[in-house]
Amino acid sequence: MAGSKNTNNKTAKAGDKGTKSKSSSSKDDKSGDASGGGKLKPATSINVRHILCEKHSKKEEALTKLRDGAKFDDVARVFSEDKARQGGSLGWKIRGALDATFEKAAYDLEPSTTGNPKYVEVKTGHGYHIIMVEGRK
């Protein structure tokens, strides 16, 4: 899909054409699925984790740790600035329960593990998120 990065570097960056929107309802999340291959089956709920950073520079630090092979949950414990500090776990979320921009990016992700995460970046009114999905149903 347009705007996706190859999963060789474990990330599909939302809106990856260098465009940054300052709007909290940014629509630059054309990430597609992170597998680089076929379509994911539709899901009604996902088991999702995230790292939330208020500042872009802190998000970039967290991304560097992930790219260097750190586990997603360990990075979330150190860098995430929200209540989900138990490794960034938000638990199982049904459609409509999350911010629309966050939800679109999360539902487009292929499930992965914290040790070898496939993640996507997205900006919402809450800040900068790095999202990974552990399960779909």
Side-chain angles (χ1 to χ4, degrees), residues 52-67:
L52 173 64
C53 301
E54 188 175 310
K55 296 189 179 208
H56 184 267
S57 58
K58 189 167 183 180
K59 179 208 53 142
E60 290 298 320
E61 281 184 66
L63 282 171
T64 299
K65 295 284 187 191
L66 290 170
R67 289 180 185 128

Side-chain angles (χ1 to χ4, degrees), residues 45-80:
S45 64
I46 53 172
N47 188 5
V48 65
R49 288 182 184 264
H50 78 145
I51 299 167
L52 173 64
C53 301
E54 188 175 310
K55 296 189 179 208
H56 184 267
S57 58
K58 189 167 183 180
K59 179 208 53 142
E60 290 298 320
E61 281 184 66
L63 282 171
T64 299
K65 295 284 187 191
L66 290 170
R67 289 180 185 128
D68 290 344
K71 290 180 68 178
F72 193 94
D73 52 338
D74 293 340
V75 176
R77 282 186 193 94
V78 174
F79 288 91
S80 194

Side-chain angles (χ1 to χ4, degrees), residues 90-101:
L90 296 176
W92 286 95
K93 298 293 180 186
I94 61 169
R95 285 193 188 270
L98 299 164
D99 175 274
T101 303

Side-chain angles (χ1 to χ4, degrees), residues 10-25:
K10 298 183 198 171
T11 184
K13 189 171 180 180
D16 196 26
K17 296 212 176 198
T19 57
K20 298 286 180 192
S21 172
K22 293 182 182 179
S23 165
S24 64
S25 62

Side-chain angles (χ1 to χ4, degrees), residues 3 12 16 20 22 39 43 54 61-62 89-90 95 105 110 114-115 118 122 125-126 129:
D16 196 26
K20 298 286 180 192
K22 293 182 182 179
K39 298 243 181 208
E54 188 175 310
E61 281 184 66
S89 179
L90 296 176
R95 285 193 188 270
E110 174 182 328
T114 58
K118 293 180 182 172
V122 68
H126 301 284
H129 302 265

